[in-house]
Amino acid sequence: MTSGQRRLSAVATAAIVVALSAACGGTNTTPPAGEGTTAATQAGGAELTGQVKIDGSSTVAPLTSAAAEFFADEQPKVNVTVGTSGTGGGFEKFCNGETDVADASRPIKDEEKAACEAKGIKYSELSVATDALTVVVNKENTWVTCLTTDQLKKMWEPAAEGKVTTWKQVDATFPDEPLKLFGPGTDSGTFDYFTDEINGEEGASRKDYSPSEDDNITVQGVTGSKGGLGYFGFTYFEENADKLKAVEIDSGKGCVAPSVEAAQNGTYAPLSRALFVYPSAGATKRPEVTAFLDFFVTNIGKIATDAQFVPLNAEQEAKLKTDLATLKTQAG
């Protein structure tokens, strides 16, 4: 479990304790209309058992982990596990039938669709949150507050490998400080998205940087190097805002800082993106999986906010609920 997952575990547990304490004190803790209910509770509070296996994006994992923690208060005998093998690794397991849900920070690729089809895995794409992919630098970096997308490309494009090694080579006004780059590995959907948007081709990146599927390794790398720079999901920056500095991004319309508002309204371009979970139709035939998904989707706004993700707007949330209902219909 990453430190991000442990933090969110604590957040969820604390929220549950508060709710229980309030209940003992006589405060009305009945959830708002449409919230706090699942297929299980709607069916009369039946206690479920079993396991829900989730794997994939390390960016999405804190969100599904938070959902699992909240869900555990309602269904303590259902074991929801969340792995972080990266979006690509998660789809590989999912299409092999090893997991019930894939976490993904990008849409499923054609070759992954084919792999699922070959194994008879039917699924639905559920957009559960929005992300502001965040570029971070060391707190001691006093020379940069904003980078253009062209400057990011100059740092990260394949042609930069072994050549662009100092900040001064990125911009003549920057100091001659060694440039140390950290980021996700090639199985990461974050890597796919960033390289596509910044370098113009998915997977196109210099290779002489420090990759890891664990975003906390990127945090450690950047905090340990004055000239360090890395990128990952907004929730990991929020968790480490006391250690890192977020860089504003200029894609041609001025510098914009990553934030909930900028991600929702699209002004944080081009690094705003949708985040997904992919449940299999077959898995939803099991009541524990259906109960978890119902709980997750019904309470998505609270879960996303508590987990420091950018929540869906009303239209996006309505679509999420419709998409889940369609998946359950497919499952029969």
Side-chain angles (χ1 to χ4, degrees):
M1 179 180 287
T2 66
S3 67
Q5 289 170 306
R6 287 192 293 270
R7 177 184 61 81
L8 290 166
S9 174
V11 169
T13 302
I16 291 167
V17 170
V18 169
L20 291 174
S21 299
C24 293
T27 303
N28 181 8
T29 58
T30 302
E35 292 187 6
T37 59
T38 68
T41 55
Q42 290 167 356
E47 189 171 65
L48 299 172
T49 60
Q51 186 171 26
V52 182
K53 295 181 180 180
I54 304 172
D55 205 322
S57 167
S58 63
T59 300
V60 184
L63 182 66
T64 48
S65 294
E69 291 287 350
F70 282 118
F71 181 67
D73 184 50
E74 184 173 304
Q75 294 291 347
K77 292 186 178 180
V78 177
N79 182 26
V80 182
T81 61
V82 181
T84 55
S85 60
T87 297
F91 276 131
E92 183 176 353
K93 292 181 180 181
F94 180 72
C95 295
N96 278 333
E98 299 173 29
T99 58
D100 304 307
V101 180
D103 284 341
S105 59
R106 57 156 172 81
I108 189 169
K109 295 179 179 180
D110 288 343
E111 57 267 31
E112 293 162 341
K113 292 179 182 178
C116 277
E117 185 176 357
K119 292 293 183 70
I121 305 293
K122 295 182 179 180
Y123 56 84
S124 184
E125 177 185 274
L126 306 180
S127 178
V128 290
T130 304
D131 188 27
L133 201 160
T134 305
V135 177
V136 295
V137 294
N138 189 282
K139 280 278 192 180
E140 295 181 22
N141 184 322
T142 58
W143 58 88
V144 64
T145 57
C146 178
L147 288 169
T148 67
T149 50
D150 286 343
Q151 287 172 324
L152 284 173
K153 182 178 181 180
K154 193 170 184 178
M155 292 180 185
W156 285 99
E157 65 184 342
E161 186 169 334
K163 297 178 181 177
V164 180
T165 58
T166 70
W167 280 88
K168 193 172 188 66
Q169 290 172 291
V170 177
D171 189 293
T173 65
F174 295 159
D176 196 24
E177 180 76 30
L179 176 64
K180 302 291 185 181
L181 297 175
F182 304 85
T186 56
D187 271 344
S188 168
T190 299
F191 172 84
D192 291 340
Y193 187 87
F194 184 86
T195 52
D196 189 24
E197 293 296 332
I198 298 302
N199 296 336
E201 181 183 348
E202 187 176 295
S205 174
R206 65 189 299 169
K207 297 177 181 178
D208 58 339
Y209 74 101
S210 298
S212 177
E213 300 301 342
D214 184 351
D215 293 326
N216 293 288
I217 300 299
T218 298
V219 172
Q220 293 168 16
V222 177
T223 56
S225 174
K226 184 176 180 180
L229 178 142
Y231 64 92
F232 40 55
F234 184 63
T235 186
Y236 280 96
F237 167 67
E238 286 284 276
E239 179 187 347
N240 295 281
D242 60 328
K243 304 174 186 175
L244 300 167
K245 183 170 76 172
V247 178
E248 298 175 5
I249 303 300
D250 183 356
S251 60
K253 296 182 179 180
C255 299
V256 180
S259 69
V260 170
E261 295 76 17
Q264 285 181 324
N265 63 29
T267 56
Y268 184 67
L271 297 182
S272 295
R273 57 175 178 167
L275 300 176
F276 308 96
V277 297
Y278 285 78
S280 75
T284 60
K285 294 180 180 179
R286 303 192 337 253
E288 68 273 19
V289 176
T290 298
F292 173 72
L293 291 171
D294 282 344
F295 181 89
F296 191 13
V297 169
T298 299
N299 298 280
I300 189 62
K302 175 176 174 53
I303 294 168
T305 300
D306 285 353
Q308 297 182 338
F309 280 75
V310 180
L312 302 174
N313 60 35
E315 182 180 350
Q316 292 167 333
E317 190 170 326
K319 184 178 185 303
L320 170 62
K321 293 176 180 179
T322 299
D323 289 344
L324 177 60
T326 300
L327 175 67
K328 289 159 64 177
T329 300
Q330 291 174 349

